[in-house]
């Protein structure tokens, strides 16, 4: 049943899952990027649902924009990752601590 | 002419002070002495005009300070009181100048000494000729400073430095209360001019000063503070400790400052303020108590001193006690009379002591002298005259003033004091006559008559001083012999018109007449006491009876004499009670706790260390781990969102929110 509560709950849960994915994962940067994608998805899902709910097209336009931005972001992120791997031969997050305060 | 009396010493001082190098030793001495001699001759003229011809002179030069209703001008008042002081100061100063030409002959800093002596004379003249309190205070502080410079003349000596500081600081306590008195006078009278204060003093008899909810009688409070000022300057009991220590200066300095002039400034103040003091029975009572106690205490301490100059210093202290308690008995003219007489014989005694010290190679301990009568007959003669004048030997100078003071204290009918206090003062005064006679003759015996305790080398060098040194002695000896008799009639003679309006005595306090008609046996009392003192001193020294050798009373006598020799341990008590505690407070509390401690901790040092420490902790938050950064980012967003309602209500509140700050510091400490 696609009710208001369900939709918002689903998107919020998705968002929280993604945050937890970032936090709880201490090692793999790929999983962090993936949970970032989930974050984008939850946000765009929320936008789409609310555009339908409020009967406003702007939400869907934003969702489309977010899609493109997410695609661009993940491509750049992966590119950085590749460059980083080429230099350091590892992508373990724990070892990325060269810039300390 | 009147202004020249003041300007001559100032001029002389400036010239000898700044150009002493060019004038040379004798040039400076002769020049400065000439200036003071001129000043002395002019003050004789002034005395003649003001005292004999009854023409008080009042000069106003120019405005000094003007601020609102407060206005002070340079004014000079030459009335009888001032002229008596003028004569005393200039005569003693002149003789001391003459004396120190020879006495300081071999001192490398003779011009400086002369300049200091003269600047002292100048400030003393400013003090006595002032017509308002501010100018008087200028002189008052000026003589304090000059006494510092003079005591500290041999500034390479540690003890001279210390005594000079002590003199200045102890005097400053009195000066402080004098300045409070001046403030109060301005507050009550709205003026610091003598003429206004004295003419309106009776009108303020019922006025009160309110302070912190307490109510003080205005005139009594003012007089009390003025009296405390006089206590400091005139070395009354309580603030007397500086005077015996001030003997570290050269002997002419002791003669000038601590015998004849500076210490009399306090008495002069009391006499000057007689129109005010007459309305305050309480302060008069205090003056009697303080004065008589000082006289007794100082004369008793003088008995057991072994330093030639300290004995005379305590004698000065004791005589000042007489003057003050005579003021307390409302007999200001008698006090002035004693002051002028005392200046002569005390300057004489001091200069004789200087002569003796000079003769026996700077030895001051009387236990190491003896039989100087054979070597210094002249000094012995004049010193004997001074001593007899001091103890009030009949028909010498001291007799006319001192015995009259004692007679005044014995009046039993129309006195302004209660009987008990009166007899207190009377007996203390008479006992101190006994002690005065005793220590004076002890001094004479140990110095001149007893067998010599000195080294033969020193004895061989003993010589009578030159003309410049014994000429002042002769003049002062003549003064000690005759001044009292000559000036008796117009100072304290019955119905004398000499004082004009310069001294005010409340008619009900005027008891001169009764003193004349006291029973004769009472009048003999001081003489009997002083004779007893002389007899005792003679018998002890001639029979060579050693009071300490008696076994039965040995311990007690030893302890007692030790106690008195150490001045009743008053200096030690002061050091323990006041000086050390204040110094300790100054070091530990105001310096260590406040200046370097508390204020530093909460001020520059504390804040800088705090910032340094916490900035380090804060920068430790940046571990380099991305997850930690993310954690803080999310946490920050959450906190921000939680704080959102506060932002909506009050823009400035969240900054000061203690929860936020608490969380912040919690984070820092946990890290």
């Amino acid at each position: 049943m696609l009710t208001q509560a369900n939709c918002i709950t689903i998107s919020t849960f998705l968002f929280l899952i993604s945050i937890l994915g970032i936090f709880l994962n201490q090692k793999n940067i790929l999983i962090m990027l993936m949970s970032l994608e989930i974050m984008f998805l939850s946000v765009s899902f929320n936008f789409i649902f609310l555009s339908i709910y409020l009967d406003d097209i702007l939400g869907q336009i934003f969702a489309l924009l977010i899609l493109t931005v997410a695609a661009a972001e993940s491509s750049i992120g992966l590119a950085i990752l590749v460059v980083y791997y080429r230099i350091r031969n590892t992508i373990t997050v724990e070892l990325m601590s060269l810039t300390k305060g | 002419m009147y202004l020249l009396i003041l300007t001559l010493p100032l001029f002389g001082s400036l010239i000898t002070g700044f150009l002493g190098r060019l004038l040379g030793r004798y040039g400076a001495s002769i020049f400065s002495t000439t200036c003071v001699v001129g000043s002395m001759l002019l003050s004789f003229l002034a005395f003649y005009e003001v005292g004999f011809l009854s023409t008080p002179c009042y000069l106003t030069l120019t405005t000094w300070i003007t601020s609102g209703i407060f206005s002070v001008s340079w004014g000079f008042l030459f009335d009888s009181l001032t002229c008596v002081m003028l004569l005393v100061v200039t005569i003693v100063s002149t003789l001391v100048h003459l004396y120190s030409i020879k006495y300081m002959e071999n001192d490398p800093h003779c011009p400086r000494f002369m300049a200091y002596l003269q600047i002292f004379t100048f400030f003393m003249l400013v003090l006595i000729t002032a017509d308002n309190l501010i100018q008087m205070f200028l002189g008052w502080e000026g003589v304090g400073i000059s006494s510092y410079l003079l005591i500290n003349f041999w500034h390479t000596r540690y003890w001279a430095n210390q005594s000079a500081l002590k003199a200045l600081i102890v005097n400053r306590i009195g000066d402080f209360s004098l300045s409070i008195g001046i403030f109060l006078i301005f507050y009550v009278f709205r003026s610091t001019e003598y003429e206004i204060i004295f003419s309106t003093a009776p009108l303020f008899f019922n006025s009160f000063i309110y302070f912190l909810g307490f109510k003080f009688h205005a005139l009594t409070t003012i007089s009390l503070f003025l009296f405390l000022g006089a206590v400091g300057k005139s070395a009354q009991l309580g603030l007397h400790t500086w005077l015996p220590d001030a003997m570290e200066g050269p002997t002419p300095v002791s003669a000038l400052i601590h015998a004849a002039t500076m210490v009399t400034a306090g008495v002069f103040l009391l006499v000057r303020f007689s129109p005010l003091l007459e309305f305050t029975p309480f302060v008069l009572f205090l003056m009697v108590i303080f004065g008589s106690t000082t006289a007794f205490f100082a004369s008793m301490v003088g008995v057991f001193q072994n330093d030639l100059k300290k004995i005379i210093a305590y004698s000065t202290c004791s005589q000042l006690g007489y003057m003050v308690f005579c003021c307390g008995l409302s007999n200001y003219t008698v006090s002035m009379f004693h002051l002028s007489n005392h200046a002569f014989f005390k300057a004489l005694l001091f200069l004789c002591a200087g002569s003796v010290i000079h003769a026996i190679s700077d030895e001051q301990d009387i236990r190491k002298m003896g039989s100087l009568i054979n070597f210094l007959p002249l000094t012995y003669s004049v010193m004997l005259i001074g001593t007899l004048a001091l103890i009030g030997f009949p028909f010498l100078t001291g007799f006319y003033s001192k015995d009259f003071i004692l007679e005044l204290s014995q009046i039993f009918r129309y006195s302004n004091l209660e009987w008990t206090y009166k007899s207190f003062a009377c007996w203390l005064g008479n006992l101190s006559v006994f002690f005065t006679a005793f220590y004076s003759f002890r001094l004479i015996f140990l110095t001149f008559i007893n067998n010599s305790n000195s080294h033969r080398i020193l004895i061989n060098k003993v010589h009578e001083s030159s003309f410049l040194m014994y000429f002042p002695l002769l003049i002062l000896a003549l003064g000690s012999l005759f001044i009292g008799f000559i000036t008796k009639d117009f100072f304290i003679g019955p119905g004398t018109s000499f004082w004009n309006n310069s001294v005010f005595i409340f008619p009900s306090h005027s008891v001169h007449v009764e003193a004349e008609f006291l029973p004769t046996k009472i009048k003999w009392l001081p003489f009997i006491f002083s004779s007893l003192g002389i007899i005792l001193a003679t018998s002890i020294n001639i029979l060579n009876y050693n009071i300490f050798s008696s076994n039965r009373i040995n311990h007690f006598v030893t302890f007692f004499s030790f106690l008195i020799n150490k001045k009743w341990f008053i200096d030690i008590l002061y050091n323990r009670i006041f000086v050390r505690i204040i110094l300790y407070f100054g070091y530990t509390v105001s310096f260590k706790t406040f200046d370097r401690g508390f204020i530093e901790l909460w001020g520059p040092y504390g804040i800088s260390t705090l910032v340094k420490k916490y900035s380090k902790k804060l920068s430790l938050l940046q571990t380099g781990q991305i997850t930690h950064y993310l954690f803080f980012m999310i946490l920050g967003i959450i906190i921000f969102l939680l704080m959102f309602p506060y932002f909506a209500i009050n823009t400035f509140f969240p900054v000061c929110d203690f929860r936020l700050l608490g969380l912040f510091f919690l984070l820092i400490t946990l890290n």
Side-chain angles (χ1 to χ4, degrees):
Chain A
M1 190 66 187
L2 199 70
T3 58
Q4 183 191 357
N6 278 343
C7 287
I8 288 182
T9 314
I10 285 166
S11 66
T12 311
F13 265 111
L14 271 177
F15 192 77
L16 288 179
I17 283 167
S18 65
I19 284 178
L20 282 178
I22 289 176
F23 274 140
L24 296 181
N25 154 55
Q26 300 279 333
K27 289 180 180 166
N28 202 339
I29 199 160
L30 275 174
I31 293 175
M32 284 171 81
L33 280 176
M34 277 190 248
S35 37
L36 207 65
E37 287 303 316
I38 298 173
M39 211 184 279
F40 278 118
L41 276 178
S42 70
V43 170
S44 55
F45 179 68
N46 211 10
F47 269 118
I48 291 166
F49 164 70
L50 285 173
S51 88
I52 291 166
Y53 180 71
L54 298 172
D55 195 16
D56 190 357
I57 196 69
L58 274 177
Q60 293 173 35
I61 292 171
F62 259 102
L64 283 172
L65 283 175
I66 286 170
L67 274 181
T68 50
V69 166
E73 182 268 338
S74 56
S75 62
I76 291 170
L78 283 171
I80 289 172
L81 201 65
V82 168
V83 171
Y84 186 78
Y85 180 74
R86 199 177 288 163
I87 295 168
R88 298 283 304 267
N89 270 330
T90 175
I91 50 168
T92 316
V93 180
E94 276 176 335
L95 299 178
M96 296 182 180
S97 59
L98 285 175
T99 53
K100 279 184 192 169
Chain B
M1 176 195 101
Y2 285 101
L3 286 179
L4 210 56
I5 296 175
L6 273 97
T7 40
L8 269 179
L10 177 65
F11 179 68
S13 167
L14 291 178
I15 298 288
T16 39
F18 289 114
L19 304 177
R21 212 155 48 94
L22 306 177
L23 286 170
R25 172 168 306 167
Y26 290 104
S29 306
I30 289 163
F31 179 73
S32 55
T33 314
T34 317
C35 284
V36 190
V37 167
S39 176
M40 179 185 71
L41 293 176
L42 289 173
S43 34
F44 268 110
L45 265 176
F47 185 76
Y48 172 71
E49 277 196 3
V50 175
F52 291 158
L53 305 182
S54 298
T55 50
C57 178
Y58 191 87
L59 299 166
T60 306
L61 291 187
T62 169
T63 13
W64 182 13
I65 308 166
T66 315
S67 167
I69 57 163
F70 178 70
S71 146
V72 178
S73 39
W74 291 98
F76 298 94
L77 170 67
F78 292 86
D79 60 356
S80 316
L81 182 59
T82 302
C83 284
V84 173
M85 285 301 283
L86 271 186
L87 267 195
V88 167
V89 172
T90 48
I91 289 176
V92 174
S93 176
T94 306
L95 295 176
V96 165
H97 272 82
L98 272 178
Y99 184 87
S100 31
I101 292 178
K102 189 70 190 169
Y103 189 86
M104 301 301 278
E105 195 183 19
N106 296 320
D107 197 279
H109 301 289
C110 198
R112 184 162 65 92
F113 185 71
M114 288 296 170
Y116 286 169
L117 276 186
Q118 284 220 300
I119 202 72
F120 171 80
T121 313
F122 168 71
F123 276 124
M124 195 66 204
L125 293 175
V126 168
L127 197 163
I128 59 185
T129 56
D131 81 327
N132 58 60
L133 272 165
I134 306 296
Q135 200 179 325
M136 196 277 291
F137 196 67
L138 173 74
W140 187 275
E141 290 295 302
V143 290
I145 281 291
S146 342
S147 82
Y148 171 79
L149 292 173
L150 281 167
I151 299 169
N152 203 5
F153 177 68
W154 291 318
H155 56 261
T156 46
R157 293 178 62 213
Y158 173 70
W159 286 109
N161 278 298
Q162 223 177 25
S163 320
L165 278 177
K166 187 174 179 182
L168 196 69
I169 291 167
V170 176
N171 260 309
R172 188 49 52 90
I173 297 169
D175 297 350
F176 182 63
S177 58
L178 176 67
S179 57
I180 292 177
I182 292 173
F183 299 150
L184 283 177
I185 280 179
F186 181 70
Y187 176 70
V188 173
F189 291 93
R190 305 279 168 202
S191 173
T192 54
E193 307 263 328
Y194 284 159
E195 51 176 352
I196 293 173
I197 297 167
F198 296 156
S199 53
T200 55
L203 305 176
F204 288 96
F205 185 67
N206 288 321
S207 67
F208 290 92
I209 296 168
Y210 295 92
F211 181 69
L212 294 176
F214 292 100
K215 189 176 168 188
F216 297 104
H217 188 229
L219 293 185
T220 307
T221 321
I222 290 169
S223 311
L224 186 67
F225 280 115
L226 293 181
F227 170 60
L228 287 178
V231 164
K233 204 56 124 192
S234 280
Q236 296 300 298
L237 196 65
L239 296 178
H240 68 284
T241 50
W242 68 271
L243 183 58
D245 283 3
M247 295 301 124
E248 290 296 326
T251 314
V253 169
S254 311
L256 181 61
I257 300 188
H258 309 112
T261 49
M262 189 175 107
V263 287
T264 59
V267 179
F268 170 77
L269 180 78
L270 295 179
V271 179
R272 178 58 95 193
F273 274 82
S274 56
L276 213 69
L277 293 172
E278 278 298 277
F279 293 98
T280 57
F282 174 67
V283 178
L284 290 179
F285 158 73
L286 269 188
M287 277 153 69
V288 171
I289 297 297
F290 265 78
S292 52
T293 322
T294 310
F296 180 67
F297 167 81
S299 59
M300 199 169 172
V301 172
V303 169
F304 288 97
Q305 294 301 309
N306 293 317
D307 189 309
L308 184 57
K309 284 170 79 179
K310 280 207 172 146
I311 295 175
I312 308 176
Y314 273 108
S315 167
T316 305
C317 203
S318 154
Q319 298 302 312
L320 288 164
Y322 279 111
M323 292 175 210
V324 167
F325 99 74
C326 186
C327 284
L329 296 171
S330 295
N331 291 289
Y332 304 97
T333 53
V334 185
S335 184
M336 260 335 262
F337 184 42
H338 191 49
L339 193 158
S340 62
N341 291 345
H342 171 256
F344 282 96
F345 53 73
K346 197 46 65 66
L348 172 62
L349 282 177
F350 261 118
L351 294 185
C352 281
S355 177
V356 169
I357 292 166
H358 200 62
I360 55 166
S361 316
D362 297 332
E363 176 57 59
Q364 291 197 18
D365 197 329
I366 55 169
R367 290 169 300 188
K368 294 181 186 167
M369 298 178 185
S371 67
L372 287 176
I373 185 169
N374 303 315
F375 303 100
L376 307 169
L378 184 84
T379 310
Y380 170 69
S381 321
V382 286
M383 193 144 187
L384 191 64
I385 291 171
T387 303
L388 288 175
L390 171 70
I391 65 171
F393 193 78
F395 313 117
L396 265 70
T397 297
F399 171 70
Y400 293 102
S401 52
K402 199 164 102 171
D403 278 21
F404 193 56
I405 291 177
L406 290 167
E407 280 172 24
L408 286 169
S409 73
Q410 287 162 341
I411 288 170
F412 39 80
R413 237 163 285 164
Y414 302 110
S415 159
N416 60 342
L417 276 179
E418 278 181 43
W419 175 244
T420 39
Y421 302 132
K422 187 77 134 195
S423 57
F424 177 75
C426 169
W427 279 108
L428 284 188
N430 278 311
L431 279 176
S432 45
V433 167
F434 168 75
F435 286 123
T436 308
F438 184 80
Y439 67 68
S440 304
F441 271 86
R442 176 173 175 266
L443 176 66
I444 290 283
F445 273 110
L446 281 172
T447 317
F448 290 105
I449 296 174
N450 281 3
N451 288 334
S452 179
N453 289 324
S454 189
H455 296 294
R456 210 182 77 186
I457 300 167
L458 293 181
I459 292 287
N460 282 337
K461 282 195 266 181
V462 169
H463 58 286
E464 193 73 80
S465 337
S466 64
F467 174 74
L468 276 176
M469 268 173 80
Y470 69 72
F471 177 69
L473 295 184
L474 289 177
I475 300 284
L476 286 169
L478 284 176
S480 307
L481 283 173
F482 300 121
I483 280 289
F485 177 69
I486 293 169
T487 58
K488 169 185 66 132
D489 275 331
F490 61 83
F491 274 179
I492 56 166
T496 176
S497 63
F498 172 74
W499 295 104
N500 290 322
N501 288 328
S502 58
V503 172
F504 170 77
I505 298 176
F506 215 55
S508 64
H509 293 171
S510 186
V511 286
H512 274 206
V513 181
E514 199 192 333
E516 299 290 335
F517 297 105
L518 280 173
T520 321
K521 59 181 179 197
I522 289 181
K523 289 197 176 197
W524 276 97
L525 196 62
F527 179 69
I528 292 167
F529 268 113
S530 58
S531 307
L532 271 180
I534 298 172
I535 291 165
L536 188 63
T538 315
S539 57
I540 285 178
N541 284 291
I542 296 281
L543 300 175
N544 211 1
Y545 171 69
N546 193 350
I547 200 167
F548 302 112
S549 66
S550 171
N551 275 328
R552 198 156 50 82
I553 51 167
N554 193 8
H555 281 293
F556 177 70
V557 168
T558 313
F559 172 74
F560 194 64
S561 61
F562 184 74
L563 180 70
I564 298 177
N565 178 261
K566 296 295 171 196
K567 308 143 198 172
W568 292 94
F569 292 116
I570 282 188
D571 281 275
I572 291 168
L573 279 180
Y574 273 8
N575 280 343
R576 292 265 167 84
I577 298 173
F578 297 113
V579 179
R580 273 193 206 157
I581 287 179
I582 289 171
L583 283 178
Y584 183 77
F585 179 85
Y587 181 65
T588 52
V589 178
S590 41
F591 178 66
K592 273 171 86 175
T593 312
F594 279 106
D595 210 27
R596 299 298 310 273
F598 185 74
I599 296 172
E600 283 271 289
L601 193 65
W602 288 88
Y605 175 76
I607 286 180
S608 65
T609 33
L610 205 72
V611 167
K612 207 171 157 188
K613 192 176 159 191
Y614 277 98
S615 60
K616 259 189 187 156
K617 284 201 169 181
L618 272 177
S619 68
L620 278 180
L621 286 180
Q622 300 174 339
T623 50
Q625 295 290 335
I626 291 173
T627 41
H628 292 173
Y629 292 161
L630 281 168
F631 172 71
F632 285 122
M633 277 155 74
I634 304 296
L635 197 75
I637 288 169
I638 289 168
I639 288 168
F640 180 77
L641 290 176
L642 284 176
M643 287 300 148
F644 193 74
Y646 294 118
F647 278 105
I649 295 164
N650 190 337
T651 328
F652 301 103
F653 187 67
V655 184
C656 324
D657 191 357
F658 65 93
R659 281 174 291 184
L660 189 61
L661 283 175
L663 190 69
F664 181 64
F665 283 109
L666 187 73
L667 281 175
I668 290 165
T669 43
L670 283 179
N671 196 353

